[in-house]
C-alpha cells in the first residue's frame, strides 16, 4: 500500500493552507482524539454565490492534508451549488486514488466543506435546517467507511437496520466476528452519530 | 545521502560479516547434519558451535537452545509448548496489558481454550504492577509471561524482582520472557534472572531474517507443537536453515564480542538524540522511562499538536526511517495500545514517534535527523488548527 505521487505532492506542498481572516463561514469536523481534524474557511460572494477564497487547516495524516488541499482546489471559483456536488470519491480520484484504509480522510474533507456551505446557506436564508429523522442517520452512515475496501457501509449493505425512537438510535451492522475492522467500524458509527444533539443513546449491534 | 535508518526494532541491517558467512554457507556448507559421513558430521559440529555461541551469550547450556524461524515462532513454541504439556498442573496464566502481540494473542488463544488469564496493569512509565502480580498468583498459576524490553516505550521489566515474587508461590511458576528487543541491548543471564523460557531473534541484532531461538531451561517440559521429521530434536522438526543459523551465530559473536562497549555506544547515541530533540523542539514528551531503565536503543517521543503519520511520511521523504504510534499508520486505525496503557491520551499516542537505533548510526546522522525533524514539526504545526 502506498500513496500516489499526487497525494505526496499535495501533502508536501498543500494548496490553500492556513486560515482566512474574517471568513464568511467556517466549519471544523473530526477531532484530535480520532487522529484527524479539518477546519475549512470560505469567502463567498453574496450576489453570485461564488467561492472567492477558501483555505483549510489540518491536524492529520498525509492523506488528510492532501484531501484538504485537493478539495479546496476543486471548490475555489465554483458556486456553492457546484461545490456541493464535490464527492469524496471524486476528490480521491483527483488525487489518483487513495489507499482503501485512507478513504475516510476524503470523506472528512468533503463533509467539512459541505457542512460549511450548509451553515452559510442557513445563515443567509438560502436553506432551512434539516429536520432530524432516520434519514439523517442513514445519510450520516454513508460517511462511515469500511477500511477494508474503502467504501461506505451503507453502499456495502453492511447496515441491516436503522431505528430511531425517543432519541435512541439503533443500528444493526453485519460484520464477521473475525473481521479486524469490526471495532473500528463500530467506533466510527458512534463518533459520527454522537455529533447529533437529537441522539441521546446509540445502540450498535453487530 | 544514504537512507538513515531508525527502525531497528522492526528489523536491522545485516552485518557485513553476517552476509559473508551466510554466502559461504550457501555456497559450500549447505549440508544437513548426518551421522558418519564427513559433511554431515561437519554440519552437526557447526550447528553445535552455533548453539554454544548463543548459549554462552546468555549464560545457558548449548543443549538448552532450539532454533526457530524467528521470535514469533519461539514465543509460540514456548507458550503453546509449555501450556499443552503442563495443563494438568494448573490453568492460570499471568501476563500484562502492554506485552508484545505474540504474548497477548497467545494469551487470548488459551483464554478461549479454557485457561484463565490475568492481565497485569502498569504504571505510566510502562513498569508492570508488582503488587498486582503478588495478588494475582493462585494455586493453579503455572506460567508468567512478559516482554523484557517493551517494544514500544523501551521499559525494561524488573525480571529478578518478578522471579522472587513468582518463587513465593508454593508451586513452580514458569517464567517466559520475550527478549527479542532486549537481547544484546542489556546483559541477560538466564540463571541470575531465573528465566525458564526466552525468545530471541536474529534480525533485530544485525543477523538474518527468518531465524530465531528459544532458550528452554533444562527440566522444563515443552509439548511438541509442530510435528514432522525429527532432524535435531522433536521441538525443531523439519529442515534447518543452516546458513541463517551460521549468520545468527556470527551476529551474536559481533554483538557480544564487547557487549558493554556496544551497549554504551548505542546508549550514547540515544541520549544524544533525545537531548537534541528536547533542546531543539518545543512541546515534546518522552514516553517510557528516562535513563538506564530503558532499553539502550529506544527513544519514543510525542510531538504536541500534530499527527505522527504525517511526521513519518515527511521524514521518509527526507530520507529518514522512523515509526509512529498513530492510529492513521496502523491497519486497524486504532491508537497504540501501549501508549494508551501508560496513560497517554489519544493525541499523545497519535503524535508519538519511535526511534530505534543501532551501532551503525552516527552522531552526524542524528544531527541531520533532528535538523529535518525540527523543520517538519514546525511546518506541520503551522498547518494545524490545534496551535493556530
Amino acid at each position: 500500500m502506498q500513496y500516489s505521487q499526487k497525494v505526496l505532492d499535495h501533502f508536501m506542498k498543500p494548496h490553500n493552507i492556513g486560515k482566512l481572516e474574517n471568513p464568511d463561514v467556517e466549519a471544523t469536523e473530526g477531532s484530535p482524539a480520532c487522529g484527524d481534524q479539518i477546519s475549512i474557511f470560505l469567502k463567498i460572494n453574496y450576489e453570485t454565490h461564488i467561492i472567492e477564497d477558501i483555505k483549510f487547516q489540518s491536524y492529520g495524516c498525509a492523506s488528510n492534508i492532501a484531501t484538504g488541499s485537493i478539495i479546496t482546489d476543486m471548490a475555489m471559483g465554483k458556486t456553492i451549488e457546484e461545490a456541493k456536488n464535490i464527492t469524496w470519491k471524486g476528490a480521491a480520484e483527483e488525487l489518483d486514488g487513495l489507499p482503501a484504509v485512507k478513504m475516510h480522510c476524503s470523506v472528512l474533507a468533503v463533509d467539512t466543506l459541505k457542512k460549511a456551505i450548509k451553515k452559510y446557506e442557513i445563515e443567509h436564508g438560502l436553506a432551512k435546517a434539516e429536520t432530524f429523522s432516520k434519514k439523517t442517520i442513514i445519510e450520516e452512515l454513508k460517511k462511515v467507511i469500511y477500511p477494508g475496501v474503502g467504501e461506505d457501509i451503507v453502499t456495502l449493505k453492511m447496515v441491516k437496520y436503522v431505528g430511531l425512537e425517543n432519541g435512541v438510535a439503533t443500528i444493526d451492522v453485519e460484520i464477521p466476528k473475525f473481521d479486524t475492522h469490526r471495532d473500528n467500524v463500530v467506533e466510527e458509527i458512534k463518533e459520527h452519530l454522537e455529533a447529533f444533539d437529537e441522539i441521546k443513546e446509540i445502540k450498535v449491534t453487530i | 545521502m544514504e537512507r538513515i535508518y531508525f527502525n531497528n526494532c522492526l528489523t536491522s541491517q545485516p552485518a557485513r560479516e553476517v552476509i559473508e558467512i551466510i554466502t559461504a554457507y550457501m555456497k559450500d556448507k549447505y549440508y544437513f547434519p548426518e551421522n558418519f559421513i564427513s559433511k554431515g558430521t561437519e554440519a552437526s559440529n557447526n550447528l553445535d558451535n552455533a548453539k554454544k555461541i548463543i548459549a554462552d551469550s546468555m549464560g545457558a547450556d548449548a543443549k538448552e537452545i532450539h532454533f526457530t524461524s524467528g521470535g514469533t515462532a519461539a514465543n509460540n513454541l514456548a507458550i503453546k509448548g509449555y501450556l499443552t504439556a503442563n495443563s494438568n498442573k494448573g490453568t492460570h496464566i499471568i501476563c500484562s496489558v502492554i506485552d508484545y502481540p505474540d504474548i497477548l494473542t497467545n494469551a487470548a488463544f488459551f483464554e478461549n481454550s479454557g485457561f484463565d488469564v490475568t492481565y497485569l496493569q502498569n504504571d505510566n512509565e510502562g513498569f508492570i504492577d508488582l503488587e498486582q502480580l503478588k495478588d494475582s498468583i493462585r494455586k493453579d498459576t503455572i506460567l508468567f509471561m512478559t516482554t523484557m524490553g517493551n517494544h514500544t516505550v523501551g521499559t525494561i521489566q524488573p525480571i529478578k524482582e518478578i522471579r522472587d515474587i513468582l518463587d513465593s508461590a508454593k508451586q513452580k511458576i514458569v517464567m517466559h520472557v520475550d527478549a527479542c528487543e532486549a537481547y544484546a541491548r542489556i546483559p541477560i543471564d538466564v540463571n541470575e534472572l531465573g528465566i525458564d523460557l526466552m525468545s530471541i531473534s536474529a534480525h533485530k541484532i544485525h543477523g538474518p531474517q527468518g531465524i530465531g531461538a528459544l532458550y528452554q531451561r533444562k527440566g522444563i517440559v515443552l509439548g511438541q507443537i509442530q510435528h514432522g521429521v525429527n532432524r535435531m530434536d522433536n521441538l525443531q522438526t523439519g529442515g534447518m536453515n543452516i546458513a541463517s543459523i551460521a549468520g545468527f551465530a556470527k551476529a551474536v559473536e559481533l554483538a557480544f564480542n564487547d557487549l558493554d562497549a556496544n551497549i554504551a555506544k548505542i546508549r550514547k547515541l540515544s541520549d544524544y538524540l533525545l537531548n537534541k530533540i528536547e533542546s531543539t523542539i518545543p512541546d515534546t514528551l518522552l514516553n517510557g522511562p528516562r535513563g538506564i531503565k530503558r532499553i539502550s536503543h529506544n527513544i519514543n517521543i510525542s510531538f504536541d499538536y500534530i499527527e505522527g503519520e504525517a511526521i513519518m511520511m515527511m521524514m521518509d521523504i527526507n530520507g529518514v526511517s522512523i515509526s509512529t504510534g498513530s492510529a492513521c499508520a496502523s491497519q486497524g486505525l486504532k491508537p497504540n495500545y501501549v501508549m494508551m496503557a501508560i496513560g497517554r491520551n489519544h493525541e499523545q499516542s497519535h503524535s508519538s514517534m519511535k526511534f530505534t537505533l543501532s551501532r551503525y548510526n552516527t552522531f552526524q546522522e542524528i544531527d541531520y535527523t533532528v535538523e529535518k525533524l525540527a523543520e517538519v514539526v514546525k511546518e506541520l504545526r503551522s498547518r494545524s488548527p490545534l496551535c493556530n
Side-chain angles (χ1 to χ4, degrees):
Chain A
M1 183 199 315
Q2 66 181 66
Y3 289 125
S4 69
Q5 189 55 47
K6 210 162 172 187
V7 170
L8 294 177
D9 292 345
H10 277 270
F11 163 56
M12 290 304 282
K13 292 196 185 318
H15 305 171
N16 312 308
I17 189 82
K19 213 171 177 176
L20 274 185
E21 290 305 318
N22 305 315
D24 291 317
V25 70
E26 63 177 274
T28 297
E29 288 292 307
S31 76
C34 306
D36 46 12
Q37 181 175 320
I38 277 200
S39 299
I40 288 182
F41 308 86
L42 294 171
K43 275 265 184 210
I44 297 168
N45 186 305
Y46 183 70
E47 302 294 327
T48 60
H49 297 164
I50 285 174
I51 297 172
E52 291 183 334
D53 204 358
I54 178 167
K55 282 196 183 293
F56 81 103
Q57 288 182 317
S58 156
Y59 164 87
C61 61
S63 65
N64 175 284
I65 292 168
T67 48
S69 174
I70 201 79
I71 63 135
T72 53
D73 272 358
M74 290 166 85
M76 184 81 84
K78 299 273 190 341
T79 65
I80 53 176
E81 277 309 313
E82 288 167 336
K84 281 195 285 188
N85 291 327
I86 295 170
T87 62
W88 61 265
K89 279 186 184 168
E93 278 166 20
E94 279 292 313
L95 287 168
D96 295 339
L98 281 172
V101 74
K102 295 289 185 180
M103 280 299 180
H104 69 276
C105 296
S106 189
V107 173
L108 181 71
V110 171
D111 192 32
T112 312
L113 173 66
K114 289 186 178 176
K115 284 262 165 69
I117 292 173
K118 189 82 186 170
K119 200 169 152 191
Y120 177 86
E121 288 179 326
I122 293 168
E123 283 171 5
H124 291 79
L126 301 169
K128 282 183 183 172
E130 278 171 16
T131 324
F132 186 81
S133 69
K134 207 163 85 173
K135 197 181 155 211
T136 319
I137 296 178
I138 295 168
E139 286 306 309
E140 196 60 27
L141 293 177
K142 285 181 185 169
K143 297 171 193 166
V144 176
I145 301 296
Y146 174 68
V149 294
E151 186 59 86
D152 75 87
I153 57 171
V154 176
T155 304
L156 289 171
K157 302 194 188 318
M158 294 167 79
V159 179
K160 296 297 169 192
Y161 172 79
V162 175
L164 179 65
E165 206 176 332
N166 301 325
V168 180
T170 309
I171 322 291
D172 282 356
V173 194
E174 195 173 78
I175 314 175
K177 206 173 177 181
F178 53 81
D179 193 315
T180 51
H181 300 296
R182 199 172 142 105
D183 294 348
N184 175 261
V185 170
V186 173
E187 272 171 39
E188 276 277 302
I189 291 171
K190 287 181 178 167
E191 277 164 18
H192 275 263
L193 298 184
E194 273 164 8
F196 293 94
D197 293 337
E198 293 86 349
I199 299 177
K200 306 291 173 216
E201 194 184 343
I202 304 159
K203 286 183 181 169
V204 183
T205 51
I206 43 176
Chain B
M1 193 174 202
E2 279 187 27
R3 175 149 291 267
I4 298 174
Y5 189 74
F6 291 122
N7 270 342
N8 288 282
C9 69
L10 195 61
T11 196
S12 64
Q13 181 191 353
R16 180 181 48 78
E17 297 89 335
V18 167
I19 296 169
E20 282 170 5
I21 200 165
I22 287 175
T23 310
Y25 264 77
M26 292 191 89
K27 280 167 73 179
D28 303 319
K29 298 180 173 186
Y30 51 84
Y31 309 97
F32 270 180
E34 276 183 283
N35 288 331
F36 311 122
I37 60 169
S38 60
K39 291 295 180 190
T41 308
E42 186 187 322
S44 183
N45 291 341
N46 289 340
L47 271 176
D48 287 346
N49 189 42
K51 279 191 176 184
K52 187 171 183 327
I53 290 167
I54 292 165
D56 285 349
S57 73
M58 58 180 79
D61 187 272
K63 290 187 181 123
E64 296 173 310
I65 302 296
H66 301 281
F67 289 111
T68 65
S69 65
T72 297
N75 280 323
N76 273 275
L77 177 56
I79 302 165
K80 292 197 170 80
Y82 187 73
L83 292 178
T84 52
N86 294 278
S87 59
N88 60 328
K89 295 176 185 164
T91 54
H92 179 232
I93 317 163
I94 303 173
C95 62
S96 81
V97 294
I98 55 164
D99 273 318
Y100 191 64
D102 287 1
I103 289 181
L104 292 175
T105 50
N106 266 290
F109 172 78
F110 280 96
E111 205 170 13
N112 285 332
S113 312
F115 281 73
D116 279 345
V117 182
T118 299
Y119 296 92
L120 301 177
Q121 300 299 310
N122 52 270
D123 67 13
N124 60 11
E125 289 190 329
F127 293 103
I128 56 178
D129 185 339
L130 298 186
E131 288 305 313
Q132 193 193 356
L133 171 61
K134 284 178 196 165
D135 295 341
S136 302
I137 292 172
R138 310 187 328 202
K139 282 179 186 166
D140 61 344
T141 307
I142 60 166
L143 178 66
F144 171 83
M145 314 185 272
T146 193
T147 313
M148 192 177 212
N150 187 270
H151 53 291
T152 303
V153 291
T155 316
I156 301 170
Q157 299 301 342
I159 300 297
K160 185 77 182 76
E161 283 176 64
I162 292 171
R163 179 75 263 173
D164 290 343
I165 293 168
L166 298 178
D167 285 346
S168 67
K170 283 182 181 157
Q171 78 279 20
K172 163 80 178 173
I173 301 176
V174 160
M175 174 156 62
H176 167 59
V177 167
D178 177 348
C180 291
E181 284 304 316
Y183 180 65
R185 287 168 184 133
I186 52 169
I188 301 171
D189 185 305
V190 288
N191 293 315
E192 274 178 22
L193 296 173
I195 294 167
D196 298 305
L197 297 161
M198 183 168 85
S199 304
I200 58 171
S201 176
H203 74 104
K204 303 210 179 197
I205 59 160
H206 306 296
Q209 294 167 349
I211 189 83
L214 177 69
Y215 159 75
Q216 176 196 14
R217 178 175 293 283
K218 192 181 172 192
I220 302 293
V221 177
L222 296 182
Q224 192 173 7
I225 63 161
Q226 180 175 291
H227 299 85
V229 60
N230 184 343
R231 294 204 187 276
M232 289 188 84
D233 60 54
N234 70 356
L235 297 179
Q236 296 167 261
T237 53
M240 280 152 286
N241 199 339
I242 294 290
S244 291
I245 288 171
F248 188 4
K250 177 54 73 180
V252 172
E253 263 184 357
L254 293 170
F256 284 82
N257 188 27
D258 192 347
L259 182 65
D260 291 344
N262 258 330
I263 293 171
K265 181 185 175 186
I266 295 171
R267 197 171 284 288
K268 210 170 166 186
L269 286 165
S270 300
D271 288 348
Y272 183 72
L273 172 66
L274 177 60
N275 290 338
K276 196 139 183 122
I277 291 174
E278 288 184 326
S279 60
T280 311
I281 303 173
D283 301 322
T284 61
L285 176 66
L286 178 70
N287 301 306
R290 200 176 281 271
I292 57 163
K293 288 186 173 179
R294 173 180 205 108
I295 333 174
S296 51
H297 73 317
N298 174 302
I299 296 296
N300 187 318
I301 194 159
S302 294
F303 297 87
D304 289 353
Y305 317 122
I306 49 179
E307 188 277 330
E309 196 250 31
I311 303 174
M312 181 183 79
M313 289 300 301
M314 268 195 190
M315 290 303 288
D316 183 58
I317 289 166
N318 278 295
V320 182
S321 298
I322 48 177
S323 65
T324 175
S326 171
C328 290
S330 73
Q331 274 300 298
L333 295 173
K334 287 179 188 167
N336 182 281
Y337 69 96
V338 175
M339 293 294 295
M340 301 307 284
I342 65 165
R344 297 294 186 253
N345 60 31
H346 282 74
E347 291 95 310
Q348 288 162 336
S349 175
H350 296 318
S351 72
S352 66
M353 305 305 299
K354 184 168 68 169
F355 303 75
T356 43
L357 287 75
S358 83
R359 62 175 182 265
Y360 295 129
N361 289 124
T362 64
F363 291 103
Q364 287 80 2
E365 286 182 340
I366 293 172
D367 288 341
Y368 171 84
T369 298
V370 179
E371 185 192 323
K372 289 294 160 194
L373 186 64
E375 290 171 16
V376 163
V377 169
K378 194 175 171 195
E379 171 62 26
L380 290 172
R381 281 179 178 167
S382 79
R383 302 177 186 182
S384 171
L386 305 187
C387 61
N388 287 287

